[in-house]
Amino acid sequence: MGSTAVVVGGGIGGLAAAIGLRRIGWEVRIVERAAVLQDAGAGISLAANGLRALDELGVGKAVRDASRGQYSGGTRTPAGSWLARMDGAVLEKAVGTPIMGIPRSTLHRLLREALPFETLLSGSEADSVRQTGPGTVRVGCGDTILEADLVVAADGVGSKVRGLLFPTHPGPVYSGSTVLRAVTEQTAELRTDFELTWGHGAEFGHLAFRDGRAEWHAVLNLPAGTRFTDPLAELRRRFRDWHDPIPALLDATRTAAVLHHDVNEIRTPLPSYAVGRIALLGDAAHAMTPNLGQGACQALEDAVTLAAALATEPTVESALARYDAERRPRSQAVARAARQAGRMGQQLSHPLAVTLRNTAMRLTPSRAATRMILRHHAWVPPQLP
C-alpha cells in the first residue's frame, strides 16, 4: 500500500494539496464539513505565481481558459480621477501572464474535477487530529476514524487543527475592515478589466469575467460584526456620489447574492507550519488581508511546495521540515506586505494622509510600481515528478 494523506478542508488550498499529493502517487481523502458544496464566493484574481502553481498541478490551462486577463484598469479616486494605471501587457511581458480574473465557484469546480469523486468526504468535520505513533496520524470525524501517514490542515482562517497544534497562539484577529461582495446578475458595461477606488476608509473595486459579468467588492472600516438589514441599499447610500460604473454594478446585483464577511488575519506569525506529521496550509497557516490579492496564490504555492518536498525528501518529517523552511518566510513576508498595503490604501481615512498618499501614487513611475508587483508574482514553483 502506498503513502496516504488526509486533507482537512475542501477549499482552494485543500483541493490543490490533494491534487499535488495524488500527482506524486499518494492516496488522498479530503474531509470537508459542508454537506453540500455550493461554491459560494464571488471572484478571485490569480497572479503569475498562482497560475504557475496551477500549471505544475496540471490544471493551469483549464483555469486560464475560464479566466479573463486583466489588461486595463488601475486605481482611482471617488471622483473618478486616476491615481495609477495598470498595464497588463507590461506585466505579461515581465512574468509571462497578466493577472487573471475568474469566478471563485469556477475555480473550485475545476480543482474538484481534477480529483476522483470519491476523494471528497463531504458533510464530515474533523473533531480530532493526533499523531498516534511514529508514522501514523489519526483523524476523528464523528463515528468515522481515518488513519494516514500525513494530515494536511487546510481548514481556513478559523482552523480547528491549528488550535489543537498551537493552543496558546492567539489565532486570527479582526483587521479592522469588513467586505461586502457579489457577482452581477447581468453582464456589466465596463471599460476596464479591473479597478480599485479608494476613498476615506472605504474601497470599491471590480473585476470583469470572461462571460461578461463582473465581481465587485466594497471594503469598509467598521466594527467587527457590523451587518446591514439591506446591504445593497446601504452601499448605494455610501457610494452614491462615487464614479461610474459603481452605481451600475450595484444595480445589476441581486440582494440575495451579496456576501458579507469580516476580514480576519493571522497577525502573530506561527512558529512552524508543521508539527510531527501534520502540516498547515493556506489560511490555516497564514491568513492575510486581501490587499495584494495573494491569499489564494500563497495557498497554491504551499500545495506545490509540499508535494515537491514529499516527492524528493527521504522521510515525511524531513519533507515537512523543508516545506516549513521554504514556505513560512515567504508567506509571512507577503502577509506583512498585504497588511501594510491595506493601511496605506483602503484603511487610510485621515484627509491629509489620503491627500499625501494620492499625491505619492500619482508621482510614482509605472516601472517602479511594476517592480513592486513583481516582488510577489515572480515565484517559480518546484517541479513535480
Side-chain angles (χ1 to χ4, degrees), residues 6-346:
V6 172
V7 176
V8 181
I12 292 171
L15 292 169
I19 294 169
L21 290 169
R22 281 185 52 82
R23 284 183 68 87
I24 63 170
W26 284 55
E27 296 182 22
V28 186
R29 295 298 300 276
I30 302 174
V31 176
E32 168 54 48
R33 65 182 178 182
V36 179
L37 296 181
Q38 299 178 350
D39 288 333
I44 190 168
S45 294
L46 294 170
N49 53 320
L51 291 165
R52 289 195 189 103
L54 290 166
D55 288 337
E56 201 60 41
L57 294 172
V59 293
K61 183 180 185 304
V63 171
R64 283 183 172 85
D65 288 345
S67 304
R68 173 168 165 170
Q70 296 174 9
Y71 286 97
S72 62
T75 307
R76 304 172 77 175
T77 69
S81 63
W82 290 97
L83 298 174
R85 294 269 194 173
M86 178 184 71
D87 189 339
V90 171
L91 194 60
E92 183 175 33
K93 184 177 180 180
V95 292
T97 178
I99 300 170
M100 305 293 285
I102 186 172
R104 187 177 286 265
S105 60
T106 303
L107 178 59
H108 277 218
R109 175 178 57 79
L110 293 172
L111 292 173
R112 280 204 315 276
E113 288 175 352
L115 293 164
F117 177 78
E118 62 272 14
T119 301
L120 186 63
L121 184 63
S122 58
S124 296
E125 184 167 5
D127 303 314
S128 63
V129 178
R130 62 190 182 93
Q131 190 154 335
T132 55
T136 305
V137 189
R138 179 174 292 173
V139 179
C141 307
D143 295 332
T144 302
I145 301 296
L146 301 174
E147 290 193 338
D149 302 300
L150 168 72
V151 168
V152 180
D155 51 341
V157 60
S159 171
K160 179 181 288 188
V161 179
R162 183 187 60 235
L164 295 173
L165 297 180
F166 301 101
T168 63
H169 187 273
V173 297
Y174 181 51
S175 67
S177 299
T178 193
V179 58
L180 296 93
R181 54 193 171 182
V183 175
T184 60
E185 185 78 359
Q186 303 97 26
T187 58
E189 297 289 333
L190 300 173
R191 297 181 179 179
T192 57
D193 300 316
F194 172 83
E195 285 185 17
L196 291 179
T197 300
W198 284 341
H200 294 78
E203 171 185 299
F204 196 99
H206 77 252
L207 64 93
F209 292 146
R210 192 178 187 89
D211 64 5
R213 295 179 302 153
E215 183 261 11
W216 58 260
H217 70 266
V219 191
L220 306 169
N221 290 351
L222 290 172
T226 301
R227 294 297 181 268
F228 307 114
T229 304
D230 187 335
L232 275 180
E234 178 65 23
L235 293 177
R236 288 189 181 104
R237 182 187 71 80
R238 287 176 178 263
F239 295 101
R240 63 180 179 270
D241 297 326
W242 288 38
H243 64 79
D244 292 332
I246 292 172
L249 288 169
L250 295 175
D251 288 341
T253 305
R254 292 184 302 112
T255 299
V258 180
L259 304 172
H260 189 172
H261 297 99
D262 291 341
V263 179
N264 296 314
E265 60 172 327
I266 301 292
R267 193 171 298 164
T268 301
L270 287 174
S272 177
Y273 288 176
V275 176
R277 286 179 170 235
I278 305 169
L280 292 165
L281 183 146
D283 283 351
H286 47 67
M288 60 190 69
T289 63
N291 303 94
L292 294 178
Q294 277 289 315
C297 291
Q298 291 302 303
L300 294 169
E301 288 188 18
D302 290 347
V304 174
T305 303
L306 177 62
L310 289 165
T312 54
E313 289 292 326
T315 67
V316 171
E317 288 80 5
S318 63
L320 294 191
R322 175 175 143 192
Y323 166 73
D324 176 60
E326 292 183 6
R327 291 303 305 147
R328 189 155 46 94
R330 173 167 163 80
S331 60
Q332 290 179 353
V334 173
R336 288 192 299 272
R339 186 180 310 121
Q340 183 62 24
R343 289 172 177 169
M344 297 304 295
Q346 168 265 319

